[in-house]
Amino acid sequence: MSPDLASHGSTRSAAELNAAIRALWSHPAVPLSAEQRAEYRRLLAELQQAERGGVTTAA
């Protein structure tokens, strides 16, 4: 996914994003590459946007 898409709002559900995050690890003991860590950070940011989608601030 491109960074531009993430900055314009999430198009994936929280469940889809969680699945993508979990798919990054082939095994819990295997560390992520630099590219995978960057993708993980993008996915986390998108997940936060998806989770906040229905949240409004109180006056």
Side-chain angles (χ1 to χ4, degrees):
M1 181 175 79
S2 73
D4 292 336
L5 183 58
S7 67
H8 290 109
S10 178
T11 60
R12 296 187 276 184
S13 71
E16 290 172 313
L17 292 165
N18 276 322
I21 290 167
R22 288 189 176 117
L24 284 175
W25 278 278
S26 59
H27 188 275
V30 178
L32 297 177
S33 68
E35 183 178 295
Q36 289 171 317
R37 286 191 305 272
E39 177 66 8
Y40 176 74
R41 287 190 294 272
R42 286 189 295 271
L43 288 167
L44 284 181
E46 188 177 347
L47 180 59
Q48 287 177 334
Q49 287 179 341
E51 290 176 340
R52 292 180 183 165
V55 177
T56 58
T57 55

